[in-house]
Amino acid sequence: MATSIRPTLSSFTLSPLFNRSPRVSFSHFSTVPQSHSLGLKLVRKNGNSMRVMASGNVSSSVTAASSENLLEWVKQDKRRLLHVVYRVGDLDRTIKFYTECLGMKLLRKRDIPEEKYTNAFLGYGPEDSHFVIELTYNYGVDKYDIGTAFGHFGIAVDDITKTVELIRAKGGKITREPGPVKGGKTVIAFVEDPDGYKFELLERGPTPEPLCQVMLRVGDLNRSIEFYEKAFGMELLRTRDNPESKYTIAMLGYGPEDKNAVLELTYNYGVTEYDKGNAYAQIAIGTDDVYKTAEAIKLSTGKLTREPGPLPGISTKITACLDPDGWKTVFVDNIDFLKELE
């Protein structure tokens, strides 16, 4: 059945499904973004000064910034992971599993019948201060291909044995029983939701950010680390090589793992490409300036999929890009994001 994937604010750049173009729910984005002139700059012609209008769609705040200063700004920008977006085949079924088995709260739900899709936002705290999940249900689409590139989400729990038994009692699928991670002491377990998305449960003490990880597979770990550090301003928190199992992981984020959601990148020895399927969408990140963010991404050889600017009809400013492996990220203006939650 031909259906278009219809993202919200965080997922307006979703790849079209079944050769149909995506539509935007949150912003109904369908037109070219508003231009932002660089302003005037001085050039020389035949020894005389003259002023000409610079071209390009970037903020005037970027014009005087050198590449070095711009990339330094990225490190100082107030960023955090806002939400992760993916598609499910039965929204009510998924909400029931997440609330009853994983202890999440349904934060809000929005149905857009004219566009034939529904969104639900779930997590462990309000969206203005917590990393949350945005589920998308497209009318009539009951199954998606998760592919081999997406890994899992991570959830920190106080008592992993109790959590696993609760999930089992509710009919949930346990794919790894609780036990220490290979080569370490952290006790983990794995479960699957009704659509086949994997969740890693990590036994930890109390944390302000229980939804703590998104794991994605990449084809060149060093290349990805450099990109996320330079273009996204993330900090490399740690790496761990597992030669026995032939993989290496890198944890990156905007703060320590015990207090913030982080990105876990996994490199499997010798594997450079993966199938992304059509289920997982992308992550949204907050920023103080989407124009500077876009310029930094360009400097870091990232691919912009949406030039920075306000969405038509509303003031929310966004930009979007692909990392070297094709993983999508949307950057959202921090102030505009909070206004949209009001």
Side-chain angles (χ1 to χ4, degrees):
M1 177 177 179
T3 306
S4 59
I5 296 303
R6 302 170 179 90
T8 60
L9 167 65
S10 61
S11 51
F12 66 93
T13 58
L14 300 184
S15 300
L17 184 62
F18 308 124
N19 298 319
R20 292 280 302 277
S21 299
R23 297 182 181 178
V24 179
S25 66
F26 191 96
S27 61
H28 299 286
F29 172 69
S30 59
T31 61
V32 177
Q34 177 179 332
S35 295
H36 291 263
S37 173
L38 284 172
L40 300 176
K41 67 179 181 180
L42 190 67
V43 299
R44 296 280 180 180
K45 183 176 183 181
N46 298 327
N48 297 317
S49 297
M50 61 181 292
R51 294 198 304 173
V52 298
M53 187 66 74
S55 62
N57 294 329
V58 295
S59 168
S60 59
S61 61
V62 180
T63 59
S66 67
S67 298
E68 183 177 348
N69 290 339
L70 181 59
L71 295 178
E72 183 60 31
W73 171 84
V74 169
K75 298 178 182 178
Q76 305 302 321
D77 188 21
K78 295 178 181 178
R79 298 186 174 186
R80 74 175 182 89
L81 303 186
L82 301 178
H83 40 255
V84 61
V85 188
Y86 53 100
R87 308 169 184 95
V88 297
D90 185 326
L91 193 60
D92 291 336
R93 178 185 65 182
T94 303
I95 291 173
K96 179 180 176 67
F97 181 83
Y98 287 8
T99 54
E100 293 185 1
C101 296
L102 301 181
M104 295 185 190
K105 296 179 181 179
L106 176 61
L107 303 173
R108 60 188 172 105
K109 188 176 179 181
R110 177 178 57 231
D111 185 43
I112 313 293
E114 62 273 18
E115 300 292 342
K116 298 182 179 180
Y117 75 93
T118 306
N119 292 127
F121 295 79
L122 299 100
Y124 295 98
E127 293 176 63
D128 60 0
S129 58
H130 288 74
F131 183 51
V132 306
I133 287 171
E134 177 184 341
L135 301 176
T136 297
Y137 168 70
N138 292 285
Y139 292 7
V141 183
D142 60 7
K143 188 175 182 180
Y144 294 95
D145 175 17
I146 294 178
T148 59
F150 171 77
H152 61 259
F153 304 110
I155 297 179
V157 299
D158 293 331
D159 188 329
I160 196 167
T161 300
K162 182 178 179 181
T163 302
V164 167
E165 289 309 312
L166 172 63
I167 295 172
R168 198 192 314 274
K170 294 286 185 177
K173 183 178 180 181
I174 313 301
T175 58
R176 184 195 190 278
E177 295 292 337
V181 65
K182 291 182 179 180
K185 297 181 179 179
T186 303
V187 178
I188 66 169
F190 275 90
V191 302
E192 280 189 14
D193 78 358
D195 289 273
Y197 290 102
K198 292 181 173 61
F199 285 80
E200 179 182 19
L201 306 179
L202 303 98
E203 191 165 67
R204 293 180 180 174
T207 174
E209 196 69 281
L211 183 60
C212 59
Q213 293 178 5
V214 176
M215 191 277 262
L216 305 173
R217 298 183 176 93
V218 298
D220 185 327
L221 190 58
N222 290 331
R223 179 185 64 182
S224 295
I225 290 172
E226 181 179 2
F227 177 82
Y228 281 97
E229 285 183 318
K230 187 177 179 181
F232 284 24
M234 289 187 177
E235 176 186 357
L236 176 61
L237 303 171
R238 63 184 175 92
T239 61
R240 187 178 77 239
D241 185 39
N242 295 273
E244 316 83 38
S245 300
K246 298 183 179 180
Y247 73 89
T248 307
I249 66 168
M251 313 297 288
L252 298 104
Y254 297 110
E257 292 178 64
D258 60 340
K259 296 181 180 180
N260 300 270
V262 300
L263 184 63
E264 176 181 346
L265 301 180
T266 297
Y267 168 69
N268 291 290
Y269 293 6
V271 183
T272 59
E273 293 184 1
Y274 295 92
D275 173 17
K276 289 185 175 59
N278 60 13
Y280 175 86
Q282 59 204 42
I283 289 175
I285 298 176
T287 175
D288 282 344
D289 192 322
V290 297
Y291 302 102
K292 286 185 177 180
T293 294
E295 287 304 298
I297 290 168
K298 291 177 182 178
L299 285 174
S300 307
T301 66
K303 179 181 179 181
L304 285 187
T305 56
R306 203 278 189 184
E307 291 289 338
L311 291 165
I314 60 175
S315 61
T316 302
K317 295 179 288 295
I318 57 176
T319 190
C321 70
L322 300 179
D323 79 354
D325 290 274
W327 292 114
K328 300 177 184 178
T329 301
V330 178
F331 285 88
V332 185
D333 181 89
N334 284 324
I335 294 177
D336 293 347
F337 176 70
L338 293 177
K339 288 180 180 178
E340 292 296 339
L341 294 178
E342 292 176 355

